[in-house]
Structures are given as structure tokens and as C-alpha cells.
Amino acid sequence: MKRRKLLWYSLLFVFGCASEVNTADQLAVTAPKKLKFAVTDVIGLEDLQRDYGTFRATLEEVLGIPIAFFPVDNSTAAAPAMLLGQVDLVLAGPSEYLVLNARAKAIPVIAIRRINYHSLIVVRANSKIKSLAQLRGKTIAMRKVGSTSGHLSPTKLLIDAGLDPNTDLKIVMLNDQGVVALKKQEVDAWATASDRYQHILAKEGLSEQDFSIIATGPLLPSDVFVISNQMAANFVEKVRSQMMKNQDKLIQSLLVAQANQKYKGSQLVTANDSEYNIIRKVYLKIGQGNFLN
């Protein structure tokens, strides 16, 4: 009897060891050999290397996995690329996140909460327009369709002021040239992001004294790192925990590039999908719900 028990316990020990080895093997192979990384608002490889080269190298060190850039042609191109397995990890703005989440079922991993990320609506200093309601029948310059701070958020401000953005005023997309059009009186107002405002004025040789801010929106949803849903759950969690653990190093590596000064003072936080519902509602309100399909 004792010999049988001894044999049984020996077999349990052997199987237990084998199970531990198999589990360890499974954990070891869940991580990909390489990650392909894209940024939705950076077009082309040269700009990616200039603005995110240091960050890529730092993230590579933090995760212990080689990371290669995947340049996109436009701000929504990362979604089909992720569906095709061409890109694994993407840094996306709030509206681009919604497209990635809806079309590629991308998983939100870590968000970058910016301390000064609001929409502004600006008029000329000598304008008779003092409120958003007075923009009825006027023309406003915005950045580009789908831009969180330069289209969707200012559109929400207009809606909250009782204006129908489809019928009550004219919206033109002029990218960063909206301020020039405003100065030349080609438009009546200009929408931009608070963290771009000073930079754009300086770039165009203009002064704050030339303009008046008539509306400032609430703090906008965070930019977010999303990952392909083809990645194993334990690897996704590893990415999340390692980025959180090394957030100071990662944010400092972003700030090496002049283009990323918007992230100064930012912190990494766990991404929360419900934070982006405000942007979803605007898409639906302006009849652009197809972006979310």
C-alpha cells in the first residue's frame, strides 16, 4: 500500500513539474518576436524617426522586444493596417482611437493624460462676436475632419451653444492656416487646440493681442496606446505594467522631440474606453457615425 502511494505521489510530482514547464513555455512564446509601431498623426517614416526615434528605442528597452516603425499615409490608415497584421501597437489621438477600436477591435492599453489639452474658439480682437451664439450665419475655420481638438470638440462647443453645425454656420477645414484666414478676415472664427495656439501664432509671426478667445472647452480625452487584439492577454498586461512602471523614462524620451512638447507634464494612466464617449456622441450628432462602424 505504501509503495503504491509512493508511486502515485512520484507520478504527481513528475506531472506537476511537466505542467510547470509547459506553462512556462506557453508564457515564453506569447510575446511576439517584434512589434510594429505607428503614430496616427505622423505621416511618413522620416517624421516618425525624427519625432519618435528616442521613444521607440526607450520602449524597446522597457519591453525587451525589438520595435520597428510602421509609417501611415493618413490618420485613419492604422485601422486597416492593424486588421491586416501590418501594425501591432499604435499611439492614437482620441478620435483615431475610436476608429481603431470600432474597425480593428484594438485594445486600449495605456493613455497619456495631457494637462493642457482643450479646444479654443478664437475671433479677431476687434470682432463684434463675443459669444458662440453670435457665430450663427458665420464661417469658422477648423483643422481637419476627425481632429479631436480641431474639429470634434469645437463642434461640441457649438452644439452646446445651441447651434446646428450642419445648417447654422459654415465650417471650413484649413489645417493650421485657419489663423491666417482669420487675420485676413476670410473667416469669422478659428478653432484650435490650446497646446497648439501659441506655437501656431509664433510660427505665423502673429500676436495674442490680435485675437480674442471666446470659448475654451473642457479637458479633452487622453491620447492612447492601443494594441492588436491578436496579442495574448498576458503580453498585453506586460506591456501595460512595464509602461506604467517606466512612465517617467518614457515621457522624457517623448520630450526629446520638439513636436512632442504637448506631452510636457503628462502622465501615463490606465486607458478607460468610457472617457471617449463624448467624442462618439459628436460623430453621431454630425452624421459621421460611419467612422464608428
Side-chain angles (χ1 to χ4, degrees):
M1 187 71 174
K2 288 182 179 180
R3 291 180 63 187
R4 285 183 189 173
K5 285 186 176 180
L6 181 61
L7 178 60
W8 174 248
Y9 290 142
S10 298
L11 288 171
L12 283 177
F13 176 76
V14 170
F15 285 127
C17 290
S19 176
E20 288 181 10
V21 170
N22 289 337
T23 301
D25 286 344
Q26 289 170 4
L27 288 173
V29 299
T30 52
K33 293 180 180 179
K34 179 175 72 172
L35 281 177
K36 291 157 286 185
F37 173 56
V39 180
T40 56
D41 67 350
V42 179
I43 309 301
L45 183 58
E46 184 178 341
D47 288 353
L48 263 178
Q49 291 172 334
R50 181 196 65 210
D51 296 341
Y52 288 89
T54 302
F55 174 79
R56 182 204 60 76
T58 304
L59 185 61
E60 193 173 68
E61 176 189 335
V62 165
L63 298 181
I65 296 172
I67 298 175
F69 282 131
F70 180 86
V72 294
D73 296 327
N74 58 65
S75 60
T76 59
M82 184 170 280
L83 276 172
L84 292 171
Q86 296 171 333
V87 65
D88 308 303
L89 182 69
V90 179
L91 173 57
S95 64
E96 291 86 359
Y97 159 67
L98 293 182
V99 176
L100 279 155
N101 181 252
R103 297 182 178 179
K105 308 303 179 190
I107 300 169
V109 181
I110 287 289
I112 309 181
R113 180 166 293 156
R114 290 152 62 176
I115 60 174
N116 183 29
Y117 188 32
H118 307 263
S119 288
L120 305 176
I121 296 183
V122 181
V123 297
R124 290 180 296 278
N126 61 357
S127 174
K128 293 181 180 179
I129 299 171
K130 306 299 180 185
S131 71
L132 294 181
Q134 291 176 297
L135 288 174
R136 189 181 302 273
K138 306 296 185 182
T139 300
I140 181 171
M142 295 191 181
R143 190 179 179 205
K144 62 181 179 179
V145 173
S147 167
T148 302
S149 58
H151 175 212
L152 299 175
S153 174
T155 297
K156 176 71 162 56
L157 292 176
L158 296 174
I159 292 169
D160 290 346
L163 298 171
D164 185 328
N166 296 313
T167 59
D168 287 340
L169 72 169
K170 182 179 180 180
I171 296 174
V172 292
M173 299 297 172
L174 299 180
N175 212 322
D176 289 340
Q177 291 303 300
V179 67
V180 176
L182 181 61
K183 181 68 174 176
K184 292 180 177 179
Q185 302 186 37
E186 295 170 352
V187 299
D188 302 292
W190 166 51
T192 188
S194 53
D195 59 358
R196 297 174 65 85
Y197 182 54
Q198 299 285 351
H199 172 72
I200 293 171
L201 291 183
K203 182 180 176 182
E204 299 297 336
L206 299 170
S207 167
E208 279 187 85
Q209 280 64 49
D210 296 325
F211 305 98
S212 175
I213 298 171
I214 61 169
T216 301
L219 187 67
L220 290 168
S222 308
D223 291 351
V224 59
F225 288 92
V226 299
I227 199 165
S228 168
N229 62 19
Q230 297 304 306
M231 295 294 166
N234 58 0
F235 176 69
V236 174
E237 187 51 43
K238 174 189 174 181
V239 172
R240 181 179 289 117
S241 63
Q242 287 298 102
M243 290 185 73
M244 286 292 288
K245 189 183 300 182
N246 294 276
Q247 71 166 293
D248 290 342
K249 183 189 296 187
L250 290 169
I251 290 174
Q252 286 305 311
S253 69
L254 280 172
L255 296 176
V256 168
Q258 184 61 37
N260 294 330
Q261 296 310 301
K262 61 188 179 182
Y263 294 123
K264 191 171 184 179
S266 296
Q267 65 177 135
L268 298 185
V269 296
T270 301
N272 181 2
D273 179 78
S274 64
E275 180 183 356
Y276 304 87
N277 285 340
I278 185 173
I279 306 300
R280 286 187 174 98
K281 290 177 182 177
V282 179
Y283 266 127
L284 295 172
K285 185 70 177 180
I286 64 176
Q288 296 293 334
N290 58 301
F291 277 100
L292 308 179
N293 296 325

